[in-house]
Amino acid sequence: MVTILDGKKLRDKILAELKLKLDKMEKKPTLAVILIGNNPASWIYVENKKRTAESIGINSIILRYPKDVSEEEILDKIHELNKDDNVNAILVQLPTPAHISKENIINIIDPRKDVDGFTPYNTGKLFSGEKPFAYPCTPKGIMLLLDEYNINIDGKHAVIVGRSNIVGKPLIQFLLNRNATVTICHSHTKNLADITKTADIVISAVGEKIINENMLKPNCIVIDVGISKDAAGKIHGDVDFENVSKIASYISPVPGGVGPMTIASLMLNTVELFELNR
Ligand code: NDP
């Protein structure tokens, strides 16, 4: 019988604990979010982050820029935020428009305020097995979810599908730190199903419905990071949830699995950076 990994329930628990902690603090953390352009999904994500932050007592500032803003203006703002003692966490909502290099922008965020854990300093720390100031939110949320359900990772074969800098690549390190044997797949991988069939844990972060029950071994653990919409506008993940649920031991749903955990991790990171810099 499959167990659903309930990200909403765990998010609510984490947020309730954070709120209790923040209620006792005289000075509150402040999260600054830079949003460039009018990508509708990005606007929704940012509003969601702001609403969640404010619901638990984190101050949030959204700095909105038109899509033709210069890179220089954004860089100047980040320098200003780096120096601002009232701001302890900085997030640049991705993607940025094509004329703005996301690397140039991320690289100058003060690593002590890098709430997404994307700066070279923090990724370097993660990959060398040391503690960064902040861990990337989505992989951190996945690990919290696995831990909540007491899923043992040690010695397991984990197959990650998707090698982005924000999900797949940092996940390698999280899983290695917990003694998993890790395989990472991407769009050039041949015979994906032959690889996923050997996995005890499959984590898919692609953005297309590509994982079905014939690609998995019975009782495997399935984490679905993907988010896409079908023709009717309904949100789904990378995994055929209905059929995979019949053979998996654990599965995270979309929506309601990894997405809420990403937000919970962002809030945890904001509070952790605040405590670090006080
Ligand atoms: P990217 O587009 O950066 O990466 C997608 C990855 O999938 C790439 O590595 C790509 O390979 C790989 N890929 C594409 N097609 C295939 C295929 N047919 N077989 C195997 N691998 C394939 O996406 P992100 O990592 O940013 O996001 C992935 C998904 O996760 C999206 O749907 C996104 O919306 C969602 N997401 C959800 C979050 C949440 O909180 N729930 C947070 C972040 C992302 P290659 O590198 O070769 O191009």
Side-chain angles (χ1 to χ4, degrees):
M1 172 82 176
V2 71
T3 300
I4 310 289
L5 299 169
D6 189 339
K8 274 194 199 163
K9 193 167 148 198
L10 180 54
R11 172 202 61 193
D12 291 347
K13 184 172 137 190
I14 291 170
L15 294 182
E17 285 167 6
L18 280 178
K19 185 170 185 314
L20 277 180
K21 186 175 189 170
L22 287 160
D23 282 347
K24 291 187 201 126
M25 288 183 183
E26 207 171 307
K27 191 165 186 279
K28 312 286 185 202
T30 296
L31 167 68
V33 180
I34 294 185
L35 174 60
I36 309 167
N38 44 18
N39 176 331
S42 294
W43 276 66
I44 294 169
Y45 291 145
V46 166
E47 283 301 332
N48 200 2
K49 287 168 186 171
K50 183 178 167 67
R51 208 174 33 248
T52 307
E54 288 174 353
S55 74
I56 58 169
I58 293 174
N59 303 315
S60 76
I61 309 166
I62 304 182
L63 300 152
R64 295 174 200 273
Y65 292 89
K67 63 176 186 303
D68 57 354
V69 66
S70 68
E71 186 174 301
E72 202 185 353
E73 193 175 338
I74 301 295
L75 293 173
D76 285 348
K77 178 48 80 176
I78 294 177
H79 282 303
E80 193 186 311
L81 295 171
N82 281 343
K83 285 192 225 124
D84 186 342
D85 289 341
N86 292 317
V87 170
N88 68 285
I90 304 170
L91 181 155
V92 178
Q93 184 65 41
L94 301 175
T96 52
H99 70 284
I100 293 183
S101 152
K102 74 170 189 294
E103 288 77 19
N104 288 352
I105 300 240
I106 287 169
N107 290 358
I108 63 145
I109 297 174
D110 179 344
R112 299 176 78 93
K113 296 189 179 189
D114 169 26
V115 73
D116 266 332
F118 290 165
T119 56
Y121 179 90
N122 284 325
T123 19
K125 284 277 180 189
L126 177 66
F127 273 79
S128 59
E130 293 175 59
K131 196 176 180 304
F133 291 122
Y135 290 92
C137 296
T138 302
K140 174 172 173 160
I142 292 170
M143 301 309 286
L144 289 170
L145 195 55
L146 290 169
D147 288 345
E148 177 71 7
Y149 287 82
N150 297 314
I151 294 171
N152 180 25
I153 295 159
D154 200 305
K156 298 263 164 66
H157 181 207
V159 172
I160 304 166
V161 190
R163 57 173 165 179
S164 71
N165 288 342
I166 63 169
V167 188
K169 282 188 205 154
L171 255 178
I172 300 172
Q173 199 55 43
F174 276 85
L175 292 162
L176 279 179
N177 285 346
R178 304 283 289 273
N179 300 322
T181 301
V182 185
T183 303
I184 185 147
C185 304
H186 45 77
S187 68
H188 296 249
T189 299
K190 307 251 188 296
N191 306 322
L192 180 63
D194 289 347
I195 299 168
T196 51
K197 262 186 203 153
T198 66
D200 303 304
I201 304 174
V202 173
I203 304 178
S204 184
V206 171
E208 273 175 49
K209 207 164 193 172
I210 60 161
I211 307 290
N212 63 51
E213 73 282 15
N214 301 318
M215 299 168 70
L216 303 169
K217 75 175 177 190
N219 296 319
C220 65
I221 296 151
V222 182
I223 305 289
D224 193 349
V225 184
I227 305 173
S228 37
K229 278 188 185 166
D230 64 17
K234 191 169 173 258
I235 287 181
H236 61 81
D238 291 355
V239 178
D240 177 344
F241 183 83
E242 195 186 330
N243 289 313
V244 169
S245 295
K246 290 176 191 157
I247 64 144
S249 55
Y250 293 88
I251 186 168
S252 73
V254 176
V258 175
M261 290 309 301
T262 298
I263 289 262
S265 301
L266 177 67
M267 299 303 134
L268 281 168
N269 282 357
T270 304
V271 176
E272 284 163 16
L273 290 180
F274 178 69
E275 290 179 321
L276 175 85
N277 292 324
R278 265 197 305 177

